[in-house]
Amino acid sequence: MRARGAGRAACHHGEILQGVFLDERGRRVAGLVTLPLAGLGTRAEFTRRQDTEDVTVVPADRTKAQRAATYALAECATQRQVPLCGGELRLDGDIPVGLGMGSSSSDVIAAVRAVADAFGVRLAPEAVARLAVRAERASDPLMLEGRALLFAQREGRVLEDLGAALPPAVVVGCALGGGRPVDTLALPAPADADAADVPGYERLRALLRRAVAAADPVLLGHVATESARLRQRVLPHAEFGELTAVAGRVGAVGVQIAHSGSVAGLLFDPAAPDLRGRVRGCRRALAAAGIPTTHTFHTTAPTSATTSEEPPHGRAHRGSDRPPRPDTCGRRVRLPAL
């Protein structure tokens, strides 16, 4: 076993679809489909210490990642049949907090991967998901990179594998509400939604399944817009009407909004005529409406990227929201410049 391990995890740009769905047993379950975003993420380094069973974390406010590392230590020690130990977890990243981009899940998943790497253990994505949900009550599916998945964020399991990837689309990102953080756990639980909501979400689920199968960006935009519209009842945004109006004027196929944050995006068909002009017009229109733009990116970009020769999640992992709570102070609420 090595004394030190490394792990990484990407973030996302909010949700394409989030609501309450029926699982294979007919139960109502909260679920979501995230929109991947390459380039941003959390990097974790874990150093094992045999003289203690405690885990320290730097920065000290990342208590959910600290819990996740503690759980991962127990899991890895059991797998390797060695005494339980502690260590030091160090986190570094560039994901803004409270915008609904999965900064908390990124921290937690990177921490679990770093601990596993220090033990030379490769944890299955399902095991990482279980530990992540245990550490933060609900987790984005960032440990299951690559495919379009309907994920039960409070249970840590896949409700449906929709296909290889979301349909191609260009996304002009922006921040609503002045980029103010949103406390996800203060919002009503999606699973508590009225049973009358289920047919609407199941219809959007079926449409998204069709969109993925046909690689149809127009249908993808429709699903994202309707999902965002339904979510306004839980987390309303004053700019929603203006956002959809701008989408109509500049020829976007739809809008998506982080259902537990303030990051949003306008979706464009990559094959649309004069795409560059549409994107420029979109940015100008958003600026005129007082809505700052952030990233412009493509839905089919890989969810994690690395320029190092080291595997992206540490030697033991050779494959591929944070909602503000008490441990979210001290992170920059800023998106890198375009």
Side-chain angles (χ1 to χ4, degrees), residues 243-252 266:
L243 202 65
T244 54
V246 169
R249 292 200 301 270
V250 300
L266 283 79

Short mmCIF file of all heavy atoms in Angstrom, two decimals, residues 243-252 266:
data_model
loop_
_atom_site.label_atom_id
_atom_site.label_comp_id
_atom_site.label_asym_id
_atom_site.label_seq_id
_atom_site.Cartn_x
_atom_site.Cartn_y
_atom_site.Cartn_z
N LEU A 243 -35.38 34.91 -19.41
CA LEU A 243 -34.49 33.89 -19.97
C LEU A 243 -35.17 33.16 -21.14
O LEU A 243 -34.56 32.96 -22.20
CB LEU A 243 -34.12 32.89 -18.87
CG LEU A 243 -32.85 32.06 -19.07
CD1 LEU A 243 -31.62 32.95 -19.08
CD2 LEU A 243 -32.73 31.02 -17.95
N THR A 244 -36.41 32.75 -20.95
CA THR A 244 -37.12 32.07 -22.03
C THR A 244 -37.42 33.02 -23.19
O THR A 244 -37.43 32.61 -24.36
CB THR A 244 -38.42 31.45 -21.51
OG1 THR A 244 -39.22 32.44 -20.86
CG2 THR A 244 -38.13 30.33 -20.52
N ALA A 245 -37.65 34.30 -22.88
CA ALA A 245 -37.88 35.27 -23.95
C ALA A 245 -36.63 35.47 -24.79
O ALA A 245 -36.70 35.53 -26.03
CB ALA A 245 -38.34 36.61 -23.35
N VAL A 246 -35.48 35.57 -24.14
CA VAL A 246 -34.22 35.68 -24.88
C VAL A 246 -34.00 34.45 -25.74
O VAL A 246 -33.58 34.54 -26.90
CB VAL A 246 -33.04 35.89 -23.90
CG1 VAL A 246 -31.71 35.73 -24.63
CG2 VAL A 246 -33.13 37.25 -23.24
N ALA A 247 -34.28 33.27 -25.18
CA ALA A 247 -34.11 32.03 -25.95
C ALA A 247 -34.93 32.07 -27.23
O ALA A 247 -34.46 31.66 -28.30
CB ALA A 247 -34.51 30.83 -25.09
N GLY A 248 -36.16 32.56 -27.13
CA GLY A 248 -37.00 32.65 -28.31
C GLY A 248 -36.47 33.64 -29.34
O GLY A 248 -36.51 33.37 -30.55
N ARG A 249 -35.93 34.76 -28.87
CA ARG A 249 -35.46 35.79 -29.80
C ARG A 249 -34.18 35.38 -30.53
O ARG A 249 -33.99 35.77 -31.70
CB ARG A 249 -35.20 37.10 -29.04
CG ARG A 249 -36.46 37.77 -28.51
CD ARG A 249 -36.22 39.24 -28.22
NE ARG A 249 -35.17 39.46 -27.24
CZ ARG A 249 -35.37 39.54 -25.94
NH1 ARG A 249 -36.60 39.38 -25.44
NH2 ARG A 249 -34.37 39.76 -25.10
N VAL A 250 -33.30 34.64 -29.87
CA VAL A 250 -32.00 34.34 -30.49
C VAL A 250 -31.96 32.95 -31.11
O VAL A 250 -30.91 32.53 -31.61
CB VAL A 250 -30.87 34.48 -29.45
CG1 VAL A 250 -30.81 35.90 -28.91
CG2 VAL A 250 -31.00 33.47 -28.31
N GLY A 251 -33.06 32.23 -31.08
CA GLY A 251 -33.11 30.92 -31.74
C GLY A 251 -32.54 29.77 -30.94
O GLY A 251 -32.10 28.77 -31.52
N ALA A 252 -32.52 29.89 -29.60
CA ALA A 252 -32.10 28.76 -28.77
C ALA A 252 -33.19 27.70 -28.77
O ALA A 252 -34.38 28.00 -28.95
CB ALA A 252 -31.82 29.22 -27.34
N LEU A 266 -28.61 28.58 -21.91
CA LEU A 266 -29.45 28.54 -23.10
C LEU A 266 -28.83 27.54 -24.07
O LEU A 266 -27.62 27.58 -24.33
CB LEU A 266 -29.56 29.92 -23.76
CG LEU A 266 -30.51 30.89 -23.06
CD1 LEU A 266 -29.87 31.52 -21.84
CD2 LEU A 266 -31.00 31.98 -24.01
#
